[in-house]
Amino acid sequence: MRVAVPKETDAGERRVALVPDAAGRLASSGFTIAVERGAGAAAGFADGEYGTAGAEVVDRGELLHGADAVVRVGRPSPAEVAELQPGAVLIGFLSPLTDPEGIERLAASGVVAFAMESIPRITRAQSMDALSSQSTVAGYKAAILAADRLPRLFPLLMTAAGTVAPAKVLVLGAGVAGLQAIATARRLGAVVSGFDVRPAVREQVESLGAVFLDLGVEGAETAGGYAVELDAEQQARQQAALEERIPDFDVVITTALIPGRPAPRLIPAAAVERMRPGSVIVDLAAEAGGNCELTEPGAEVNRSGIVLIGLTDLPSRMAYHASQLYSRNVSALLQHLAPGGELALDFEDEITAGACVSRGQASA
Ligand code: NAD
């Protein structure tokens, strides 16, 4: 199987779908890997490293010619889709729940597409779970950004010049990103509280040395471990409880998401207005509309002295390790779909069927 790795095309995307090490492993297990010149540069991987690892480094014009599979981070442009041969495999974050047109375009071109977001969250597929690997990076970066923007120190310091009280950090939504944000803020010395609507999370929050904030709101959990959306009455209660508690915190990191739905509104504008000047909110749900009413997705803004970070590209800002982890996820999926480099799609298999968003000619 010939696998092409394009240079990402979304503005500001620094990650690459396969790093040299992963490309080398695939090359030695039966795949031919062709990497677009410069594809890894923004993540810190030089063309020469790919060559040494056993991949071909090619110009854009030659990349897709004869490719049996294309692995990328973000969605391909319509022009790139048009270049793919029918039956070619495409792997990437394809936004199947929010970009139905893009998926239709792939189906119409006969592309067999696998969305990294759609990999089932089952034990057997853990090595392919790119949502988790990238959320881990985002949670870490969120805590680091908050520490950087806050005009206060995170840790307790006792110095000859006086004692500095530790920063108080609240993390809303304690899934993969939230737990990593809690762990990172704790390592920096902050006093951390966490909240999630899934009751099972309390123990995980506490095991990281954080306090579970009791807001008197509890939601249900799906069989897959995701939160069920709160009803209107519960949402209003959560907002009111948060409005009261939020002014106590210097930093709020929000990560609350419901798959395929707009992000739950947790922090009303009134709660932001009650925070101390210099406080920081990092809204990791910005891409889905944001957990905070005042978040501007993709931007960092200052509202009456409160810094609101709605950046949507945090994994890309840690491109080296985000790419390394993503590569492992992509490699595991490739090995699953094409053991030893021979495509063998089994749509009876839970992972293959679950991740596939366009069966191309196979569905005809
Ligand atoms: P996510 O990104 O969809 O959501 C983030 C968090 O927001 C979740 O913990 C959710 O409960 C929470 N949330 C939703 N609405 C909220 C609200 N109104 N207020 C506060 N919090 C709210 O979730 P995720 O991080 O992708 O993970 C969700 C679950 O999946 C976790 O239980 C995780 O352990 C599980 N998981 C399992 C596997 C596996 O078994 N392979 C892999 C990864 C994650």
Side-chain angles (χ1 to χ4, degrees):
M1 176 184 253
R2 185 176 174 84
V3 179
V5 185
K7 188 169 156 55
E8 292 299 316
T9 39
D10 282 353
E13 180 56 76
R14 301 169 188 80
R15 290 170 293 176
V16 61
L18 281 183
V19 301
D21 180 56
R25 283 170 202 258
L26 288 168
S28 54
S29 65
F31 293 83
T32 301
I33 309 292
V35 180
E36 181 177 349
R37 205 172 294 289
F45 302 100
D47 289 341
E49 293 179 65
Y50 285 100
T52 309
E56 294 172 21
V57 178
V58 300
D59 289 324
R60 175 78 202 181
E62 304 159 44
L63 180 74
L64 299 177
H65 183 72
D68 303 303
V70 175
V71 295
R72 44 169 30 267
V73 178
R75 289 172 282 182
S77 66
E80 186 173 316
V81 175
E83 274 186 81
L84 299 178
Q85 57 190 26
V89 168
L90 172 71
I91 293 174
F93 280 116
L94 304 177
S95 307
L97 296 178
T98 50
D99 182 25
E101 281 167 27
I103 302 298
E104 271 166 34
R105 192 180 306 124
L106 293 169
S109 306
V111 173
V112 186
F114 295 91
M116 294 306 283
E117 300 93 324
S118 304
I119 303 255
R121 277 161 127 214
I122 56 175
T123 308
R124 198 160 56 90
Q126 261 178 1
S127 59
M128 307 168 200
D129 186 352
L131 279 181
S132 286
S133 71
Q134 304 305 292
S135 291
T136 300
V137 176
Y140 169 86
K141 185 70 174 173
I144 299 293
L145 278 178
D148 181 59
R149 302 300 193 271
L150 190 72
R152 294 166 178 255
L153 294 159
F154 262 33
L156 166 78
L157 286 187
M158 294 168 101
T159 77
T163 299
V164 169
K168 287 188 182 166
V169 174
L170 172 63
V171 177
L172 296 173
V176 179
L179 289 172
Q180 187 55 236
I182 289 174
T184 306
R186 285 271 304 144
R187 278 183 223 120
L188 289 171
V191 172
V192 184
S193 301
F195 173 75
D196 198 292
V197 284
R198 290 182 297 122
V201 171
R202 174 188 283 265
E203 209 179 294
Q204 294 168 32
V205 168
E206 289 173 350
S207 74
L208 291 170
V211 171
F212 191 83
L213 196 71
D214 207 340
L215 293 179
V217 184
E218 207 171 269
E221 183 167 331
T222 65
Y226 289 111
V228 175
E229 198 167 18
L230 297 178
D231 63 32
E233 189 268 327
Q234 286 173 309
Q235 279 185 37
R237 256 194 312 134
Q238 184 179 20
Q239 282 196 7
L242 280 172
E243 195 172 328
E244 193 159 308
R245 306 295 287 273
I246 274 177
D248 292 341
F249 294 93
D250 302 301
V251 168
V252 183
I253 297 172
T254 72
T255 75
L257 287 169
I258 305 284
R261 301 278 306 140
R265 253 317 126 73
L266 308 183
I267 308 179
V272 180
E273 281 152 18
R274 294 185 56 198
M275 292 180 85
R276 280 189 292 270
S279 300
V280 179
I281 296 177
V282 184
D283 192 341
L284 282 187
E287 195 151 19
N291 291 142
C292 175
E293 192 179 348
L294 298 181
T295 295
E296 291 185 20
E300 176 173 336
V301 294
N302 189 314
R303 290 292 186 93
S304 317
I306 313 298
V307 175
L308 276 146
I309 300 178
L311 300 176
T312 50
D313 62 347
L314 297 195
S316 168
R317 288 169 188 252
M318 292 259 114
Y320 183 93
H321 277 135
S323 300
Q324 184 179 308
L325 298 171
Y326 185 69
S327 281
R328 291 300 284 266
N329 301 140
V330 165
S331 299
L333 179 59
L334 269 176
Q335 293 279 17
H336 180 75
L337 301 174
E342 292 294 329
L343 192 63
L345 297 177
D346 171 12
F347 287 109
E348 299 293 309
D349 173 76
E350 189 180 357
I351 299 173
T352 306
C356 188
V357 292
S358 157
R359 292 195 183 185
Q361 292 183 324
S363 61

